[in-house]
Amino acid sequence: MLFLSVLHIETATTMQQNLQETITRSLEGNQEAFRSLVDHYQQPAFTLAFRILCDEEEAKDAVQEGFIKVWSHLNRYDKTQPFSSWLFRIIANCSIDRVRKIRRRNEITLEQIEITLERIRTEDPGTTLDNQEIARLIRFLASGLPEKQQLVFILRDIQGMDSAEVKEVLGIPDTLIKSNLYHARKSIREKLEKIYSMERRQL
Amino acid sequence: MNPDSGKQSGDPLDRLCNALHRNEPRLHDRDVIPRKVMETIGNKKQAPSRSAYIPIVRRPVLIFAQRLLTAASVSLLILFGVEQYMVVKKVNTLEERMASVHVEPATNVAARFVRSGFTFTSLPERFLVRKNLIAFQRNDIRSHLESTIKHVQP
């Protein structure tokens, strides 16, 4: 058991070292190294972009745009900071720029939302949702909220960023983050309460 | 609420957020993004600019130079400040001394001439003008007095 945990720690350390080496080689202009960085970070970058944009194609485009920006601004990367934070900040900003441009069609039906909510409520904690369900649910929760509240809610409560990270991405002070989050949660709770009370009445 | 906690609280919003945090959207085709990114980078032929990159070896030198320049600018500011203070102090002392010295009227006149920019060569001419002016004023006063006296006397 001890041997296994030591092996696990060693593997993690080696992976971290390899990643650091890849970042250093990318910073030196090595395209192959940069490709492996894209391979490594594309999934978490896509997750972040998807949660902001709620659209698979748009999220892919935002991730692509973000990586291209990263490549062309590699000289601005501060080596003392984690690479992932810098990358996610760029991806988040690309996604936010896109979310402001796109016009969404309101194609979510209450029925679909109710089904997803029911699944989450009744099934075990390990319930898996597909991309469409995730997108529908986030869009439903965030719809009707002002843009800042939507973004703060998505980044803090769904993406799980801490206040400092949200502050860096959105460029707003802590107090504003807290108040936006408070109002967003309040509105969403009210929305959920309406749905649940409707369900109770139907029953 | 912390989505990382993984706890299932009674709050429906917390449950939803936890579920959404746990369920990451899946990227199905993992080759598309790297391929497109590399194509764009290759097409642009845009190598990262190394101009702003400073090798680690040179960094201490740069930091030293930066600090040296900062120290120099601060020293200059202090120097100018002290100099300014000294000048103001000297001017004040001079003014105090000047005020304490008793000045003769003639000296005063001479000082006024000097301040007005008169040269010594122009002095006689200036005096002449002044003299004529005074004479004119005296004559004027005298004629006024005479006319008054005439009026008063029956």
Side-chain angles (χ1 to χ4, degrees):
Chain A
M1 191 67 185
L2 183 71
F3 172 73
L4 278 177
S5 60
V6 169
L7 190 71
H8 179 73
I9 292 166
E10 273 185 7
T11 318
T13 319
T14 317
M15 273 176 71
Q16 191 57 40
Q17 278 173 352
N18 285 344
L19 192 64
Q20 206 52 48
E21 272 174 31
T22 316
I23 292 168
T24 315
R25 279 194 290 131
S26 301
L27 289 173
E28 285 162 2
N30 187 324
Q31 288 196 5
E32 278 309 306
F34 188 70
R35 193 196 158 101
S36 43
L37 265 189
V38 177
D39 275 331
H40 183 83
Y41 283 111
Q42 64 172 328
Q43 177 57 55
F46 174 74
T47 303
L48 172 62
F50 186 91
R51 282 170 174 164
I52 295 173
L53 288 156
C54 301
D55 184 294
E56 206 167 319
E57 289 310 311
E58 286 287 344
K60 277 182 191 168
D61 288 348
V63 171
Q64 200 183 313
E65 190 190 330
F67 276 117
I68 292 163
K69 271 192 184 168
V70 166
W71 171 259
S72 38
H73 297 111
L74 273 176
N75 56 339
R76 292 189 199 165
Y77 166 57
D78 178 6
K79 276 185 173 178
T80 56
Q81 302 294 320
F83 179 77
S84 55
S85 306
W86 183 61
L87 169 73
F88 292 149
R89 205 166 64 227
I90 292 175
I91 299 286
N93 283 322
C94 285
S95 310
I96 291 167
D97 286 345
R98 273 174 185 272
V99 91
R100 284 172 184 155
K101 284 177 201 161
I102 56 172
R103 288 250 165 261
R104 284 192 181 133
R105 284 165 294 156
N106 198 8
E107 56 201 14
I108 318 166
T109 61
L110 202 59
E111 222 178 343
Q112 292 169 324
I113 293 298
E114 279 173 352
I115 293 166
T116 315
L117 287 178
E118 191 59 26
R119 274 189 62 201
I120 292 171
R121 201 164 42 165
T122 52
E123 289 180 26
D124 67 310
T127 308
T128 49
L129 304 171
D130 62 31
N131 286 3
Q132 271 196 336
E133 281 176 312
I134 296 170
R136 267 202 300 260
L137 201 52
I138 297 176
R139 279 169 66 177
F140 165 73
L141 295 176
S143 66
L145 297 179
E147 190 198 81
K148 279 270 181 310
Q149 288 184 20
Q150 282 187 19
L151 292 171
V152 170
F153 171 70
I154 291 170
L155 295 178
R156 280 284 277 128
D157 281 357
I158 299 176
Q159 184 65 21
M161 282 184 171
D162 59 31
S163 283
E165 286 170 323
V166 177
K167 189 178 166 186
E168 262 193 62
V169 171
L170 298 180
I172 54 173
D174 278 335
T175 46
L176 218 55
I177 292 172
K178 277 180 190 164
S179 69
N180 274 311
L181 190 60
Y182 170 77
H183 290 295
R185 282 177 183 165
K186 197 179 161 197
S187 311
I188 295 169
R189 277 201 180 98
E190 282 167 8
K191 205 185 290 182
L192 287 173
E193 190 47 48
K194 271 182 198 167
I195 288 189
Y196 290 139
S197 62
M198 266 171 61
E199 280 179 7
R200 278 195 293 269
R201 258 181 277 145
Q202 280 170 1
L203 285 170
Chain B
M1 191 207 66
N2 182 12
D4 293 323
S5 61
K7 281 185 277 183
Q8 286 297 308
S9 68
D11 185 4
L13 178 60
D14 286 0
R15 281 176 70 99
L16 269 182
C17 290
N18 279 327
L20 284 170
H21 183 69
R22 244 190 356 258
N23 283 282
E24 286 194 355
R26 304 310 303 170
L27 185 60
H28 300 297
D29 192 352
R30 293 180 68 89
D31 280 339
V32 177
I33 292 175
R35 186 166 36 83
K36 282 188 177 173
V37 169
M38 297 321 286
E39 268 173 22
T40 316
I41 289 170
N43 287 342
K44 282 188 174 177
K45 294 191 185 303
Q46 200 174 36
S49 160
R50 314 304 303 156
S51 58
Y53 177 71
I54 300 147
I56 295 166
V57 187
R58 285 189 204 161
R59 280 185 191 172
V61 180
L62 187 82
I63 291 166
F64 176 73
Q66 247 177 352
R67 288 189 181 163
L68 194 73
L69 281 172
T70 314
S73 51
V74 170
S75 315
L76 273 174
L77 272 174
I78 293 169
L79 191 74
F80 287 138
V82 170
E83 201 138 313
Q84 188 80 2
Y85 170 74
M86 280 165 73
V87 168
V88 170
K89 201 179 168 187
K90 276 182 183 172
V91 168
N92 282 342
T93 320
L94 194 68
E95 274 180 0
E96 275 168 22
R97 280 187 191 167
M98 288 283 279
S100 64
V101 173
H102 174 70
V103 186
E104 291 291 326
T107 322
N108 235 338
V109 170
R112 235 185 290 149
F113 269 112
V114 172
R115 277 188 211 134
S116 323
F118 290 156
T119 53
F120 279 105
T121 46
S122 70
L123 276 180
E125 195 187 324
R126 302 272 172 188
F127 273 120
L128 193 66
V129 172
R130 176 116 180 124
K131 201 174 161 186
N132 287 342
L133 192 68
I134 291 164
F136 174 74
Q137 280 173 343
R138 274 183 193 159
N139 287 339
D140 203 28
I141 292 163
R142 193 183 294 160
S143 61
H144 266 281
L145 277 172
E146 279 170 1
S147 64
T148 317
I149 290 162
K150 272 180 194 171
H151 278 286
V152 171
Q153 282 178 348

